[in-house]
Amino acid sequence: MSSIHNDVSGLIKLFRFKKLQSLHDLTLAIKDVSDRKISDNMVYNSEDVLEILKDIEMEARRVVGAELMHHSHTTVLVARQYLSQGELSGVDLKLKLPELENRTLLDEIKNLEDSLFPAKK
């Protein structure tokens, strides 16, 4: 396997781990709201339910927002690292930003991730 393939695979593994960690954090945040706001002995009216849903939304936004920020910062650091390495090697690398939204290329990465982590049956 090529060095590029190994690097891409390593990034996929890192981001997959972070995604699973974030989903776990989201589950814990929702459970925390549930534990604080919901009791078996209570009867809830629509106003109570809306307040609970609002709290869950706020927690979800907090967890997801933090993860998206971390993910974007990590992605920028990866790009900066490669651009710096290219510059040190005398190679002028350019980012092709439109390719970041290229559905075909994104599907290729998804297929690579699927091959690295086959669905469990």
Side-chain angles (χ1 to χ4, degrees), residues 42-95:
M42 295 290 294
V43 175
Y44 300 95
N45 62 33
S46 60
E47 190 176 302
D48 295 333
V49 172
L50 289 173
E51 182 182 332
I52 292 168
L53 290 172
K54 182 179 176 186
D55 288 352
I56 289 172
E57 178 189 8
M58 287 176 23
E59 283 299 304
R61 284 178 169 275
R62 181 187 62 76
V63 171
V64 172
E67 178 51 30
L68 289 172
M69 184 180 298
H70 180 269
H71 180 78
S72 65
H73 292 169
T74 301
T75 302
V76 170
L77 287 175
V78 168
R80 186 172 77 177
Q81 183 180 24
Y82 280 111
L83 292 170
S84 294
Q85 288 175 3
E87 187 176 65
L88 289 173
S89 299
V91 178
D92 187 27
L93 301 175
K94 298 287 183 204
L95 290 175

Side-chain angles (χ1 to χ4, degrees), residues 8-50:
V8 169
S9 295
L11 284 171
I12 288 172
K13 290 174 184 177
L14 170 68
F15 286 131
R16 182 179 177 89
F17 171 77
K18 293 298 295 174
K19 177 184 75 173
L20 293 173
Q21 187 178 32
S22 294
L23 290 172
H24 178 73
D25 291 347
L26 180 59
T27 299
L28 291 177
I30 292 170
K31 184 179 180 331
D32 180 56
V33 171
S34 174
D35 290 348
R36 283 186 289 114
K37 298 281 186 170
I38 299 174
S39 172
D40 289 337
N41 307 357
M42 295 290 294
V43 175
Y44 300 95
N45 62 33
S46 60
E47 190 176 302
D48 295 333
V49 172
L50 289 173

